[in-house]
Amino acid sequence: MALRPVHVIVKALDSSAVGRFWAEALGWTAYSPGVGTYVGPSGGLVWPHPLAVGIDVVPVPEPRTTTKNRVHLDLATTSAAHQAELVERVRALGATPVDVGQGEVPWTVLADPEGNEFCVLEPREVYRDTGPIAAVVIDCVDPRAMARFWGEAMDWTLHEVADDHATLRSADGVGPYLEFLRTPGVKTVPDRVHLDLLPYPGDDREAEVARLRALGAADLDVGQGDVPWTCLTDPEGHEFCVLAPH
């Protein structure tokens, strides 16, 4: 029994506009299979995608608070010229510079049109084959504990763990990394960005949810009502959902 991350949820007042932004930023396609906008590799909607972790932009009525998200995306680049071009391109699409206390760093911190932070990284060899999304990054207090929980929750492989960071990636060595960074402060408000996990065909969602609760997950009521997925939080309060098997 195991789960796999299939997309990153981004909540937005204008899901179509934010979806178009991310499609243009990543060089992917914005699809509209329902009320939200799904952003995935071009060539037709494939879900779950065997290589990529997509972005599902869902409409919500509440505006974003000014509190920094505890989950963000890092975008990969292949050269200094590519990094500069990508920064210029996303700024033309509506991204804005953000100061989160990063100081002098070789990457660029920006926010999408609704204020969700992301980073355009300088070229790094480790991300040469991830595709446009290098990593899904989660701020946390204890990366080792997060690595234990998420390593048990998913079928991804633990690549690195230390007191200040931990990294996992698909056992097939494809797509983005999932990274946990030790960050001052604790989670205080619901995030606008979170992961959705999917059981494999034939696996039982309720059994998976029970397994996650035993690992330290807690139930979460966000007013979702009767839906075919289960909302949970990890031991540090980061929201995520377990979808019905596909």
Side-chain angles (χ1 to χ4, degrees):
M1 295 175 65
L3 297 161
R4 49 189 163 148
V6 287
H7 53 238
V8 177
I9 292 287
V10 177
K11 298 177 181 178
L13 292 172
D14 189 339
S15 59
S16 295
V18 173
R20 288 193 301 270
F21 169 85
W22 282 105
E24 292 286 343
L26 300 175
W28 284 356
T29 299
Y31 305 94
S32 298
V35 295
T37 300
Y38 184 81
V39 178
S42 301
L45 177 57
V46 176
W47 190 90
H49 198 279
L51 304 178
V53 174
I55 298 177
D56 194 12
V57 186
V58 299
V60 294
E62 305 86 7
R64 184 184 181 277
T65 70
T66 57
T67 303
K68 177 182 178 292
N69 285 331
R70 302 285 285 182
V71 181
H72 74 267
L73 299 180
D74 279 354
L75 306 190
T77 63
T78 57
S79 66
H82 181 205
Q83 182 186 15
E85 181 275 328
L86 181 54
V87 169
E88 182 179 2
R89 180 156 54 85
V90 296
R91 290 192 66 173
L93 292 169
T96 53
V98 175
D99 184 352
V100 293
Q102 68 268 24
E104 290 292 329
V105 292
W107 59 88
T108 302
V109 184
L110 300 164
D112 74 11
E114 291 201 7
N116 300 300
E117 301 89 357
F118 66 98
C119 297
V120 178
L121 302 180
E122 76 284 3
R124 300 184 193 181
E125 181 65 17
V126 67
Y127 301 134
R128 70 189 184 282
D129 61 352
T130 59
I133 300 176
V136 180
V137 182
I138 300 178
D139 296 345
C140 65
V141 174
D142 188 343
R144 290 185 182 276
M146 288 292 94
R148 285 193 297 271
F149 173 83
W150 286 91
E152 290 286 339
M154 306 190 311
D155 64 346
W156 281 21
T157 299
L158 180 64
H159 279 251
E160 195 174 3
V161 62
D163 289 341
D164 61 351
H165 70 278
T167 303
L168 298 94
R169 196 186 189 194
S170 162
D172 295 326
V174 297
Y177 288 80
L178 178 62
E179 300 180 356
F180 299 93
L181 296 182
R182 188 173 66 187
T183 307
V186 295
K187 191 172 184 300
T188 57
V189 299
D191 241 324
R192 301 288 279 187
V193 183
H194 71 258
L195 280 170
D196 275 0
L197 308 183
L198 182 69
Y200 283 90
D203 285 351
D204 181 83
R205 177 172 59 91
E206 289 305 322
E208 287 289 351
V209 169
R211 185 175 66 84
L212 293 172
R213 291 187 184 115
L215 292 171
D219 291 295
L220 175 66
D221 185 354
V222 292
Q224 67 269 25
D226 186 13
V227 293
W229 60 84
T230 302
C231 299
L232 299 167
T233 58
D234 72 12
E236 287 198 14
H238 304 102
E239 301 94 344
F240 67 98
C241 296
V242 179
L243 308 179
H246 181 78

